[in-house]
Amino acid sequence: MSRRVTVAAAQLGPVGRTEPRRAVVDRMLALLHDAHRRGAQLVVYPELALTTFFPRWWTEPLADADRWFETEMPGPATKPLFEQAASLGVGFYLGYAELTPDGHRYNSAVLVARDGSKVATFRKVHIPGHEHYEPWRPFQHLERYYFEPGPDGFGVWEAFGARIGMMICYDRRWPETYRVMGLQGVELILCGYNTPVHYPPDPSQDALASFHNHLVMQAGAYQNGTWVVAAGKGGVEEGVDALAQSAIIAPSGQVVAQALTTGDEVVVAECDLDWCDRYKQTLFDFSRYRRPEVYGIICAPRGAQAAAGQAGDG
Ligand code: CDV
């Protein structure tokens, strides 16, 4: 008998700067009910789903930004989501800004099981953007001011009858993200994102934003024999156009479901987890074909190596 899990990508449209969490959670509850009606057992919400994408503004002192962060999960605003999801028997992935009791700030996602219990908290590993206010930009991308990089890397958890991994937005652009989870046998990777269509450091990439979004996830899915479910916050939010095109991608690399709008929308797909093995046991049979002894440079210092002839060094 094949193992199957029905998943939903719950895309959100724009969230305004003054929109209260309670209103956003009401929108998320509507998406939850839609997903449940369509058979979903697991719903994926976007990155920083509860608020507007606040890293587009500079706030000083940093403590003045505390209002964008959650100090507990669930908290008063998110409790109805946890309760309603548990009563429907639907699990979820929710992206939020986390302020820990000892003062650390992370861009996080929580994975919640069908009974409402927490499976795991993931903290974004690759933090994009810049650390300081940059006046030349039409809008800021200050994630490197607001968030520390997640210290825990990419775990994989047994849940929903699958081996599940998580990533957040910029993480999806890095092949290491998928491969680290692939080496742990991941079958289903969940992702939330906020991707401005305009990329100020190189606007020539703007026209390719949607191509690049799917390119990286399709490649990561195929090269690691895993499903990928990605939900974005799309549309024009506080004057900034953000990519929608939330998608569910098969281990073949094919997009099997994709959002049609830039607003609140649910897309659903039934994921056959045994499909992963068609790739994991053939072209991407890691134990047979990988050559880690010549990949050593991958774990060397961050930047490109200047000198030639180092590629094979361990
Ligand atoms: N929220 C993000 O991580 N956004 C990045 C942008 C900065 C490139 C992304 O990968 O979409």
Side-chain angles (χ1 to χ4, degrees):
M1 205 181 79
S2 65
R3 296 178 301 129
R4 290 167 191 270
V5 57
T6 302
V7 300
Q11 176 175 285
L12 284 169
V15 173
R17 188 174 185 151
T18 57
E19 193 165 336
R21 280 174 179 70
R22 183 60 235 200
V24 182
V25 169
D26 282 346
R27 289 166 56 184
M28 295 170 73
L29 286 171
L31 295 173
L32 177 77
H33 283 285
D34 187 10
H36 174 253
R37 195 177 43 79
R38 293 159 64 184
Q41 298 155 305
L42 171 59
V43 175
V44 178
Y45 293 107
E47 174 191 34
L48 301 177
L50 299 167
T51 65
T52 198
F53 189 74
F54 64 88
R56 75 168 67 90
W57 296 291
W58 173 252
T59 309
E60 201 175 20
L62 183 55
D64 283 357
D66 283 0
R67 66 196 172 102
W68 303 116
F69 285 76
E70 312 304 312
T71 52
E72 47 182 345
M73 186 55 67
T78 43
K79 215 159 173 257
L81 181 65
F82 277 69
E83 287 172 352
Q84 194 57 240
S87 81
L88 296 173
V90 177
F92 61 91
Y93 160 115
L94 170 67
Y96 66 102
E98 177 189 13
L99 177 56
T100 69
D102 52 350
H104 294 285
R105 294 165 191 276
Y106 299 111
N107 186 338
S108 300
V110 64
L111 177 61
V112 177
R114 297 179 71 179
D115 64 1
S117 63
K118 268 194 225 178
V119 177
T121 301
F122 168 76
R123 291 160 175 159
K124 186 173 182 174
V125 170
H126 301 96
I127 308 295
H130 47 107
E131 290 83 359
H132 306 290
Y133 180 70
E134 295 187 0
W136 63 271
R137 291 175 182 262
F139 54 88
Q140 305 293 299
H141 198 111
L142 285 157
E143 284 196 62
R144 294 178 74 84
Y145 174 64
Y146 289 111
F147 303 118
E148 293 171 49
D152 306 321
F154 297 100
V156 168
W157 296 269
E158 300 276 355
F160 301 87
R163 292 182 70 77
I164 299 196
M166 293 186 269
M167 60 184 180
I168 298 179
C169 199
Y170 189 46
D171 288 326
R172 77 194 187 290
R173 299 188 191 271
W174 295 86
E176 293 88 349
T177 297
Y178 304 87
R179 184 48 52 90
V180 168
M181 290 190 264
L183 286 166
Q184 299 170 77
V186 76
E187 297 171 315
L188 181 58
I189 298 178
L190 316 179
C191 180
Y193 61 90
N194 280 272
T195 297
V197 173
H198 178 49
Y199 183 60
D202 178 16
S204 75
Q205 297 179 30
D206 296 1
L208 302 171
S210 114
F211 167 63
H212 289 156
N213 177 40
H214 285 174
L215 172 73
V216 289
M217 294 193 290
Q218 290 181 257
Y222 167 64
Q223 291 167 341
N224 294 279
T226 181
W227 289 88
V228 175
V229 184
K233 178 131 66 64
V236 180
E237 187 181 270
E238 298 294 346
V240 178
D241 193 14
L243 195 66
Q245 300 195 341
S246 301
I248 300 173
I249 298 160
S252 59
Q254 292 166 291
V255 175
V256 298
Q258 185 181 318
L260 300 176
T261 73
T262 59
D264 293 10
E265 182 183 344
V266 169
V267 293
V268 175
E270 185 186 59
C271 304
D272 178 355
L273 299 167
D274 292 330
W275 197 352
C276 300
D277 272 348
R278 293 198 211 161
Y279 292 87
K280 289 184 194 293
Q281 291 182 1
T282 60
L283 279 170
F284 297 109
D285 180 343
F286 289 170
S287 55
R288 183 167 190 192
Y289 296 118
R290 283 184 77 245
R291 295 285 316 284
E293 66 277 18
V294 298
Y295 303 157
I297 198 170
I298 295 272
C299 288
R302 288 185 201 188
Q305 302 278 317
Q310 296 186 351
D313 296 351

